[in-house]
Amino acid sequence: MCGIVGYVGHREAFPIIIKGLQRLEYRGYDSSGVALLNGKINVYKKQGKVADLLAFSEDKDTVSSLGIGHTRWATHGVPNDVNAHPHTSQSKTIALIHNGIIENYDSIKEELSKRGHTFESDTDTEVLTHLIEEVQKKERVSLFEAVRLSLAEVIGAYAIAVIEESNTNEIIVAKKGSPLVIGVGENEFFLASDATPIIEYTKNVVYLEDGEIARLKIGEEMELKTIENVEKTPYIQELELNLEAIEKGGYEHFMLKEIFEQPKSIADSMRGRLDSKTAEVKLGGLAEYEQKIINADRIIIIACGTSWHAGLIGEYLFEDLARIPVEVEYASEFRYRNPIITEKDVVLAISQSGETADTLAAMKLAKDKGATVLGICNVVGSSIARLSDAGSYTHAGPEIGVASTKAFTAQVTVLTLMALMLGRKKGTIAESYYRELISEIETIPAKVESMIGMNDYIKELSAKFKDALNFLYLGRGYNFPVALEGALKLKEISYIHAEGYPAAEMKHGPIALIDENMPIVVIATKKGHYEKVVSNIQEVKARNGIVIAVVTKGDTAVKEIADYVIEIPEVAEPLVPILSNIPLQLLSYHIAVMRDCNVDQPRNLAKSVTVE
Ligand code: G6P
C-alpha cells in the first residue's frame, strides 16, 4: 500500500507531487509528506489526508524543482506526523519514501544503533534511509551505488525514491514487490506508484521490474541496472490511460461515478470478445491455454476481498456451464497452507489492481509447483498480469473508489465469458442454451442502465435504514456470493456491521439475531431455488425481521411478504449476479453518504493492498 510520487525537472515539483498524491490516496491516506530540495532538503509531513498536508505547507517554502512525496497506509508505527514519510538519514541529508515493508529492519536497526544511529520514528523505512547513509560513508560511493548496495542487504518489499542534499538534479528509484512507474519527459522525470500522477505530463513510461534500480538524472538518459549490478536498457512504452477516466466528471464521489459507468464498463469487458455471427466467445489472451484449461483436473481460483467474491461466482459458472471442478481460495490462506497443487491444475488469480501481495505470492507458489497460472486483472501491465502465463483483462477502466464496484461486475462478466467459451468447447452446454446465454449477455449493459434509473428509489429506501446497527444479506446459488459482496460493500463504507450468508444457513445461527430492528436483504430472484428462498423470507418475517427483497420484475409472491422490494430485469440464471449486485452497491453508497462517511476513502482501508 502507500502511494509514492516524485519529480525532477524544470517545473515546480510541489504542485505536481500534491496532485499526484491526491490521485494515489486510494493506496492509503492516514498521513502524507513531501521532501523538497532547494539548497537543503525541506521535509513537511502531516497526519491525515493530503489536503491536511497542503494546508500545513501553506506558509512553508515549497519552491523546488526536485521532490518526493508519500501518502501512507500504516504498517510499522501508528499514523502520526513522525511516522509519516519521507524519512531522513542520521545527518538529514538523505530523504527517502517507501511503499512496502523492510522485513529485516529490526536487525539492521540494531546494528546501526550500535554504530551511533538514533531513530525518530517507529518505521522500517527510516532504518533503510540510515543504512544507505552508512553504506555511502563506508564505501565512499555515489548515492546510486549506496542505494544498490543497501538493497542487497534488505529482505522485504519496496518501491523507493531517494534524494540527497548535494545532488540537485537526481532521484534514485528501486523496486521489488511494490509497483513503480517512471514518466520520461523532455529533460524531466516523474515517478509514481501508478501512472495516474504522470498522465497529464507525459505518455512515455517505464515500468520498473522487480530487483531493478534506476538513476533519474536531468541532462542524462535514465540509467537502469539490477540490484546485482547488471546493466539494463529501459523499455519505454506509451500509456493508454486518459485523464478523463481518472477524474470525477461532475459526480460527488468516484464510487457513484463508477457505479453509473457500469453499462459501459461491462460492455467494454465484452468488447471484441463476442462474434455475433458465430456466437463464438474469443478471449485472445487465453487462446493458447484453452485446451489446458479444458483438460485441467480442477481450477483453483485465488483472490482477496471483492475479487474473491467474483471468484465464488466463477465457481458456480465454471461448474455449471463447463463442468470443471473449482476451488475458490483466499490467497492469504492458500499461500501458507502447504496446498496440494499439481501440473494438471490451473490456478486463476483475480485482482482489480493486479498488485495484491497475497494474490501475487499465492500465484508464485502455484507456479513453483508447476501449475498453469492465469490472471483476470483490471490494471494493464500490473504485477499479477505480468506474472500470469496468460489471462484476460477486465477493461473496466481505472477504479478509484476504494470499494470495488465496476471492477467486480467486469470480473464477473469475464468469468461468464470464460465459462461459456469452455462449456461450448467442452460440449458441456447445450447449443441452444449457449446461444440463449450469448444473446442475453449482450442485453446486460442495457439492463444495468435501466437499473441505474432506480437510483432515486434506492436512495429513498436507504434513508429508512441509515441508522441500522446491523444488516444481514441472504442469497442462494449464484446469489450467495452476491449476498457476501453486498454485506462487504455496506460494512466497508458505512461501518454498519453486516453479514452475508447462504439463505438456508440462516437457521444455523444468524436467525438468532433477527428481531424487529434487523434489516435483512434477501436476493430472491426467479429461478435459482426461488421457492426455497421464499420460505427463508417467511422464516424471517415470522421473527419480525424487516425484509428488503431483490426480486425479478413481475414477481408477486415475495412482494406480498417483503417489506420493500427492488426489482431487477429478468435474465438467465447464470447472468443474474451482475444485475442483482447493482442495487446493493447503490444501497451501500447512499447509506454511507447519509451517515457522512467518506465513501471513496473509508477508514483503515486501501485499494491496493501490497502488504500481506
Ligand atoms: C482491498 C480493496 C478491495 C479489493 C481487495 C483485493 O481490500 O479495498 O476493494 O477487493 O483489496 O484487491 P484486488 O486489487 O486484488 O482485486
Side-chain angles (χ1 to χ4, degrees), residues 272-283 290 417 420-421 424-425 431 434-435 438:
R273 290 170 165 173
L274 284 178
D275 186 318
S276 49
K277 277 200 195 117
T278 59
E280 201 183 338
V281 174
K282 284 187 186 145
L283 292 166
E290 274 169 25
L417 293 178
L420 282 166
M421 177 196 80
R424 195 191 209 189
K425 293 238 150 82
E431 183 63 16
Y434 173 84
R435 289 203 174 243
I438 291 290

Side-chain angles (χ1 to χ4, degrees), residues 209-504:
E209 296 287 339
D210 275 353
E212 286 182 347
I213 175 168
R215 186 215 302 262
L216 313 178
K217 186 170 184 161
I218 296 307
E220 289 182 17
E221 298 276 290
M222 177 196 308
E223 191 180 340
L224 183 69
K225 52 170 76 170
T226 66
I227 303 297
E228 290 78 30
N229 212 13
V230 179
E231 300 283 340
K232 295 191 80 176
T233 310
Y235 168 58
I236 300 181
Q237 47 182 298
E238 199 171 317
L239 274 181
E240 280 173 12
L241 199 68
N242 66 50
L243 199 56
E244 212 174 69
I246 56 169
E247 292 187 331
K248 272 191 208 155
Y251 286 90
E252 202 182 335
H253 298 101
F254 279 111
M255 182 177 175
L256 189 63
K257 177 185 175 226
E258 286 155 7
I259 293 174
F260 274 52
E261 271 172 1
Q262 287 173 111
K264 179 172 181 302
S265 54
I266 292 169
D268 286 345
S269 66
M270 292 194 279
R271 197 174 309 285
R273 290 170 165 173
L274 284 178
D275 186 318
S276 49
K277 277 200 195 117
T278 59
E280 201 183 338
V281 174
K282 284 187 186 145
L283 292 166
L286 293 175
E288 266 182 59
Y289 284 80
E290 274 169 25
Q291 216 44 50
K292 181 99 199 182
I293 310 171
I294 287 169
N295 296 335
D297 277 356
R298 58 184 175 159
I299 297 176
I300 304 170
I301 297 179
I302 47 174
C304 303
T306 290
S307 297
W308 185 79
H309 293 153
L312 284 181
I313 296 172
E315 178 178 24
Y316 284 85
L317 287 163
F318 289 152
E319 297 202 346
D320 189 11
L321 304 178
R323 309 301 297 148
I324 303 174
V326 177
E327 282 167 32
V328 188
E329 302 265 4
Y330 285 115
S332 53
E333 286 299 312
F334 179 80
R335 61 182 288 199
Y336 287 120
R337 215 193 45 225
N338 193 13
I340 300 162
I341 308 165
T342 74
E343 286 164 14
K344 292 204 76 187
D345 289 326
V346 166
V347 170
L348 173 62
I350 305 177
S351 173
Q352 185 287 128
S353 63
E355 300 296 344
T356 304
D358 283 319
T359 309
L360 261 171
M363 286 172 82
K364 285 179 186 153
L365 175 78
K367 259 197 153 174
D368 289 348
K369 294 197 180 244
T372 299
V373 177
L374 308 177
I376 293 181
C377 272
N378 196 37
V379 178
V380 176
S382 56
S383 305
I384 288 176
R386 281 180 286 150
L387 186 67
S388 316
D389 294 317
S392 280
Y393 283 117
T394 39
H395 296 306
E399 189 180 67
I400 315 280
V402 165
S404 184
T405 51
K406 66 171 181 172
F408 173 74
T409 46
Q411 288 166 342
V412 177
T413 305
V414 170
L415 286 163
T416 309
L417 293 178
M418 220 175 136
L420 282 166
M421 177 196 80
L422 295 169
R424 195 191 209 189
K425 293 238 150 82
K426 241 187 121 184
T428 49
I429 174 170
E431 183 63 16
S432 55
Y433 184 41
Y434 173 84
R435 289 203 174 243
E436 183 191 324
L437 290 176
I438 291 290
S439 60
E440 285 220 24
I441 202 169
E442 287 180 307
T443 68
I444 292 284
K447 286 181 173 155
V448 171
E449 186 75 64
S450 75
M451 291 170 66
I452 300 289
M454 293 172 12
N455 184 43
D456 288 344
Y457 168 65
I458 295 178
K459 188 172 175 184
E460 276 169 36
L461 203 57
S462 306
K464 300 185 199 304
F465 297 102
K466 70 176 179 23
D467 298 319
L469 299 176
N470 295 287
F471 256 83
L472 201 57
Y473 285 72
L474 304 175
R476 288 182 92 135
Y478 278 101
N479 281 322
F480 160 52
V482 176
L484 294 181
E485 174 57 15
L488 175 66
K489 209 81 323 174
L490 184 73
K491 71 185 140 200
E492 64 185 345
I493 61 170
S494 73
Y495 318 138
I496 295 175
H497 170 248
E499 272 190 68
Y501 245 80

Side-chain angles (χ1 to χ4, degrees), residues 543-556:
R543 283 148 190 94
N544 297 324
I546 309 160
V547 172
I548 306 156
V550 177
V551 299
T552 310
K553 206 164 258 164
D555 179 283
T556 48

Side-chain angles (χ1 to χ4, degrees), residues 11 15-17 19 23 185 188 190 197-203:
R11 310 177 201 234
I16 295 173
I17 293 169
K19 205 171 182 189
R23 295 224 174 111
E188 60 182 349
F190 304 80
I198 299 174
I199 180 75
E200 64 219 75
Y201 309 105
T202 178
K203 292 226 162 205

